[in-house]
Amino acid sequence: MKKINNTWPTNTKEQPLIIAGPCSAETEEQVMEIAHQLKTTGTSIYRAGIWKPRTRPGMFEGVGAEGLKWLQRVKEETGLRVATEVANKDHVNECLKHGIDVLWIGARTTANPFAVQEIADALQGVDVPVLVKNPVNPDVNLWLGAIERLEKAGISNPGAIHRGISPLGKSIYRNNPEWQMPLALKEQRPDILLINDPSHIAGNRQLLAGIAETAIGLEMEGLMIETHHNPDAAWSDAAQQITPQALTVLLAKMKLTTGTAAEVATADLGNMRSSIDYIDEQLIDLLSYRMQVVAEIGQYKRQHGMAVIQEERWTELLTKHASQAAGRNLDGEFVTQLFNSIHRESVNRQNLV
Ligand code: PEP
Ligand code: MN
């Protein structure tokens, strides 16, 4: 039996196992950026989905095996262990070939014993840590069954991830937590690692911390939290991902990390700064779009022999902006100056076309 790092890193009560990383590996730069930012957060396993099980077709389905090389780089550069989701024997073989440390079985796959058996068969002769998410339906036996199939294949240290179940109809959660499910699993298998995935339960950033706190309160031994350096721009599950800085703050508030007050304050500031960075990116995108429209208007004016500067239109716009600014708690003088500068650049552009 080939053993691959088959014990879990820290998962004591004081120091739960933290798995973090993006929902999906998107680009090599994105994977590396997030991994480097996670180094100081108390994370010991880096997650990233390479093959994405999307509920409806036509969405981003993952970068495929190419992304495994990026995870190898994460391992080399950061020392974090790396994990990804497998759903069939080809995924397993690719992961083993690329030295992936931890595999996980997704909720939709756990619900299918044929798929789980195929994965277990592909793992014969290799003892690698595998985490099994609860199935999408409230069936603890299906969850236990998947774990047992892996154990029969020789996986000596499987773990379980509680990620909630699909709600029927309206719910504040993306997946209802149904806390009795992990409790029932724990009762039958107190010997295996049980962690919580608040990201897929919440489906949004607002509910995340409360779920994580409940899970730790119920003595779950770790958390898997989706983390992205620019969550709003993520290619999948954007609404539920948090920045590595937000992760530091969340864990510190739960007293799960040993970060000093100064470290936490720096992370908190980093958190606020990343909102500013996102807003600035949007401002630049909008300005670039404005200049494109300005160039089109310039062409139109030229074709129709119209003057570039139309004074009364400009005065009208400035008055409108000043009154909008007053209603939004912005200084009128500041907004007028800003628009004068934007107008100057627009006139230059129109003179160029
Ligand atoms: C995931 O972890 O990215 C994922 C797809 O989760 P789940 O299987 O819980 O839906
Ligand atoms: Mn996800």
Side-chain angles (χ1 to χ4, degrees):
M1 176 76 69
K2 188 175 166 212
K3 285 195 189 304
I4 303 175
N5 237 344
N6 70 332
T7 53
W8 298 109
T10 56
N11 62 307
T12 60
K13 206 168 173 192
E14 298 70 39
Q15 196 78 73
L17 172 66
I18 304 298
I19 305 180
C23 176
S24 303
E26 298 164 4
T27 64
E28 186 167 4
E29 294 67 38
Q30 171 249 14
V31 164
M32 296 314 301
E33 177 65 35
I34 299 167
H36 282 287
Q37 288 192 22
L38 281 171
K39 274 187 302 190
T40 53
T41 57
T43 296
S44 49
I45 300 179
Y46 183 80
R47 66 147 285 154
I50 299 292
W51 300 281
K52 299 301 299 175
R54 307 314 297 270
T55 303
R56 309 282 293 266
M59 296 160 107
F60 175 58
E61 304 217 315
V63 292
E66 166 79 11
L68 296 172
K69 294 191 209 116
W70 310 341
L71 291 181
Q72 276 180 320
R73 219 186 121 194
V74 167
K75 237 171 109 157
E76 284 158 21
E77 287 184 24
T78 66
L80 292 167
R81 287 207 216 170
V82 292
T84 200
E85 173 173 348
V86 291
N88 61 40
K89 62 177 183 323
D90 297 335
H91 296 167
V92 171
N93 292 333
E94 286 289 346
C95 284
L96 296 178
K97 221 163 59 194
H98 287 84
I100 302 303
D101 303 291
V102 174
L103 311 179
W104 85 78
I105 297 183
R108 296 158 191 79
T109 308
T110 309
N112 177 359
F114 289 131
V116 175
Q117 192 57 50
E118 178 181 316
I119 293 168
D121 292 343
L123 284 167
Q124 284 284 350
V126 192
D127 190 6
V128 63
V130 185
L131 290 161
V132 182
K133 289 206 173 194
N134 69 257
V136 281
N137 53 328
D139 187 341
V140 180
N141 283 327
L142 209 45
W143 197 4
L144 284 166
I147 293 165
E148 286 158 6
R149 284 178 199 277
L150 294 170
E151 288 178 319
K152 277 188 189 303
I155 300 299
S156 64
N157 206 5
I161 307 177
H162 164 233
R163 53 77 79 198
I165 63 152
S166 308
L168 175 66
K170 251 188 150 30
S171 166
I172 56 164
Y173 301 108
R174 176 176 175 193
N175 289 293
N176 286 340
E178 307 294 353
W179 295 104
Q180 68 277 24
M181 267 186 94
L183 293 177
L185 184 99
K186 204 175 161 69
E187 200 175 298
Q188 296 206 45
R189 293 299 306 265
D191 56 315
I192 68 166
L193 175 83
L194 170 62
I195 69 168
N196 173 260
D197 169 352
S199 305
H200 289 90
I201 294 177
N204 63 60
R205 292 187 263 282
Q206 291 68 39
L207 294 174
L208 196 73
I211 296 161
E213 275 163 31
T214 306
I216 296 297
L218 290 172
E219 296 189 346
M220 294 199 198
E221 296 151 288
L223 298 167
M224 180 191 251
I225 298 187
E226 285 189 342
T227 316
H228 196 289
H229 66 300
N230 188 355
D232 288 316
W235 297 2
S236 59
D237 290 354
Q240 72 196 30
Q241 302 206 56
I242 59 171
T243 60
Q245 291 77 21
L247 178 67
T248 301
V249 175
L250 184 143
L251 297 175
K253 285 190 176 148
M254 290 172 67
K255 304 201 176 8
L256 295 182
T257 49
T258 46
T260 62
E263 277 165 357
V264 174
T266 309
D268 228 351
L269 188 62
N271 225 350
M272 292 185 254
R273 283 191 176 142
S274 61
S275 308
I276 291 283
D277 292 351
Y278 179 62
I279 294 167
D280 286 352
E281 271 172 38
Q282 286 184 315
L283 280 175
I284 291 173
D285 280 350
L286 274 173
L287 281 173
S288 151
Y289 180 53
R290 188 184 201 282
M291 292 306 158
Q292 275 172 38
V293 176
V294 158
E296 278 166 32
I297 294 180
Q299 231 149 26
Y300 187 89
K301 285 180 181 164
R302 174 175 293 249
Q303 278 161 8
H304 294 82
M306 296 156 115
V308 166
I309 298 190
Q310 293 177 341
E311 207 56 53
E312 78 283 15
R313 154 96 175 137
W314 183 239
T315 322
E316 190 190 309
L317 274 184
L318 277 184
T319 318
K320 210 168 97 190
H321 294 335
S323 90
Q324 191 191 0
R328 304 277 167 92
N329 210 11
L330 283 170
D331 181 70
E333 181 55 29
F334 159 68
V335 171
T336 303
Q337 269 180 26
L338 184 66
F339 275 96
N340 273 327
S341 153
I342 293 174
H343 186 236
R344 247 192 328 273
E345 175 62 11
S346 304
V347 170
N348 289 343
R349 292 274 176 138
Q350 293 200 349
N351 284 332
L352 286 178
V353 295

